[in-house]
Amino acid sequence: MTELLRRGRASLAFAFFAQGAAFALLVTRIPAIQDRYGISDALLPVFLAAVPVLAGVGSVTTEQLVRRVRPSRLLRWSQPVVLLALLAAGAGGQGQLAAVALALGVFGLSVGMLDASMNMLGVSLQRSYGRSIMLSFHAVYSLGGIVGASLAWAGAHWQLALWVSYLPVVAVLLPATLLGSRWYVDGDAAAPAAQGGGGGVVFKLLLPLCLVMTFAYIGDSTVSNWSAKYLKDVLGSSEQLATVPYNVYMVTTLVGRSLGDLGVRRFGAAAVVRLGALVAAGGFAVVAVAPGAWVGMLGFTLLGLGLCVLVPQTFAAAGRLFPGASDAAVARLNIFNYVGFLVGSPLVGAVGDAWSYRGAMLLPMVLVLVTLVYARSFATSPGRYGGGHERPRTADVGRGSNGL
């Protein structure tokens, strides 16, 4: 059992890594995609908004599918679709708007299914382990994002065509993820209907976690979409220095998530979430009052260390709250990932235009602080996964055509 769980954890971690790399390769090359297809500035927001909206549809669809199909099967086949859609997004010709719209649409739908099923497996595997391991999966996702962003920078630096940049990555990750999927662990040996059924999920109880997820992604999207502009236009940095905050944010996110599980085991999930919210709020405050670029960079460093724990622990808390319907809970919660991503950037931009961008940084600060009100929803005992689950439970392991 220990060896099977270890293999399941390693294979799922690689799936997180691959998704982090694929997503980073897409979002960091949006300007190149716009240029390649001749997408106007007025039309670009429509394309960008469509991806998270369709991802939410994919997550809702996953909740229905896991009533009959195990999450491991959904993850096994949705990840190749995401990678192929990424390649297709870079392979079209000038002016082929229908082609890129189709590619991004498929990417959005499949990434919603992938994110939901990936976190379902993470939650159930954590339950089987009997201790906190969820943050480690998201740490590997951050590592994949750093690798993907670095590869995107290399492609832009060498002025490679998009499909030339994407093809080697897809050629490596697609067969590797399919091979790794042989060892996915579906967790508790409950029927898919019992795990995925939505009847056991009371949305009123799930709502606090949905709000935390939304607030966390509003904070995350603020960093990813506004950090460079803020440093350059508000704090007066050079264009080159303005590219640094997001990289710093990603690195500190990786560090925080790598250490986070140890904190959960020792102090409990609620304490880690409270500390993360306070550190993130402090980061936004530092960014808002920063007199110059280097102090602003310190703020973005704090943001990475604080925000990084919120999303993984929110998924884990949903699994603890609805142990008999954790798949459905995770799928519904995952929708608010995209809500926060969709709302965050326009909200900060609107406040910045109407008031000031320094003031706009206080908005996600306040929302992150609201997380403190809901910290009790994360309560676990130090050293335990939560609810006394210290001993690993029986796990189903799917291999090849028999299990998947």
Side-chain angles (χ1 to χ4, degrees):
M1 176 58 65
T2 301
E3 180 63 24
L4 294 178
L5 288 177
R6 189 157 45 239
R7 289 182 180 179
R9 182 178 181 181
S11 61
L12 183 59
F14 186 75
F16 271 87
F17 173 85
Q19 173 57 5
F23 190 76
L25 279 166
L26 178 71
V27 298
T28 56
R29 299 305 307 274
I30 290 297
I33 292 175
Q34 182 181 11
D35 292 342
R36 181 175 183 86
Y37 290 97
I39 303 172
S40 67
D41 289 339
L43 192 57
L44 182 61
V46 177
F47 279 81
L48 298 182
V51 174
V53 169
L54 290 171
V57 174
S59 190
V60 172
T61 303
T62 301
E63 179 186 348
Q64 304 304 315
L65 290 175
V66 293
R67 298 179 180 182
R68 296 175 294 276
V69 182
R70 292 195 178 278
S72 58
R73 180 177 292 180
L74 297 178
L75 175 56
R76 184 184 194 188
W77 297 115
S78 61
Q79 191 146 47
V81 175
V82 168
L83 293 169
L84 291 173
L86 173 68
L87 182 60
Q94 181 71 25
Q96 294 181 348
L97 292 182
V100 71
L102 178 61
L104 292 177
V106 172
F107 186 93
L109 285 170
S110 55
V111 87
M113 184 174 295
L114 188 154
D115 283 346
S117 58
M118 196 163 58
N119 283 289
M120 288 173 187
L121 288 182
V123 167
S124 63
L125 190 61
Q126 177 170 270
R127 184 182 295 111
S128 296
Y129 257 77
R131 57 188 172 89
S132 178
I133 60 172
M134 195 67 181
L135 277 156
S136 66
F137 293 125
H138 286 259
V140 178
Y141 179 92
S142 296
L143 178 61
I146 293 170
V147 171
S150 300
L151 292 173
W153 177 89
H157 178 74
W158 294 104
Q159 297 182 338
L160 300 177
L162 281 171
W163 72 269
V164 175
S165 296
Y166 291 165
L167 181 59
V169 177
V170 174
V172 171
L173 292 182
L174 196 154
T177 53
L178 281 175
L179 178 63
S181 69
R182 288 167 48 85
W183 294 283
Y184 288 157
V185 175
D186 274 298
D188 292 346
Q195 277 289 341
V201 178
V202 180
F203 186 72
K204 183 179 179 180
L205 298 178
L206 189 64
L207 181 59
L209 298 179
C210 295
L211 292 175
V212 172
M213 180 70 78
T214 302
F215 299 157
Y217 269 97
I218 287 175
D220 181 82
S221 66
T222 298
V223 178
S224 60
N225 289 295
W226 292 103
S227 59
K229 180 178 176 61
Y230 187 86
L231 228 71
K232 185 174 182 294
D233 294 353
V234 178
L235 301 184
S237 77
S238 66
E239 187 169 348
Q240 184 176 2
L241 187 60
T243 65
V244 175
Y246 185 69
N247 288 333
V248 170
Y249 173 77
M250 290 298 293
V251 170
T252 53
T253 294
L254 172 61
V255 172
R257 286 173 171 174
S258 298
L259 301 175
D261 282 321
L262 296 176
V264 173
R265 295 168 199 166
R266 182 164 185 176
F267 303 108
V272 170
V273 167
R274 288 190 183 99
L275 179 61
L278 289 172
V279 171
F284 277 118
V286 170
V287 169
V289 302
W294 290 104
V295 177
M297 218 112 59
L298 172 62
F300 287 112
T301 300
L302 293 174
L303 281 171
L305 291 172
L307 288 176
C308 69
V309 301
L310 299 184
V311 171
Q313 284 307 304
T314 305
F315 279 123
R320 288 192 297 272
L321 190 60
F322 301 101
S326 64
D327 288 347
V330 168
R332 293 188 190 184
L333 183 61
N334 189 56
I335 297 170
F336 292 85
N337 159 353
Y338 310 117
V339 172
F341 190 84
L342 192 62
V343 169
S345 181
L347 185 62
V348 170
V351 173
D353 290 339
W355 181 24
S356 75
Y357 281 98
R358 287 187 182 273
M361 291 296 149
L362 299 177
L363 179 60
M365 182 194 77
V366 172
L367 294 177
V368 168
L369 283 174
V370 175
T371 299
L372 297 173
V373 178
Y374 302 118
R376 68 184 66 180
S377 300
F378 296 83
T380 62
S381 301
R384 297 188 175 207
Y385 158 78
H389 300 305
E390 287 188 300
R391 297 176 59 189
R393 297 183 177 185
T394 303
D396 283 352
V397 180
R399 297 188 180 215
S401 59
N402 291 331
L404 295 175

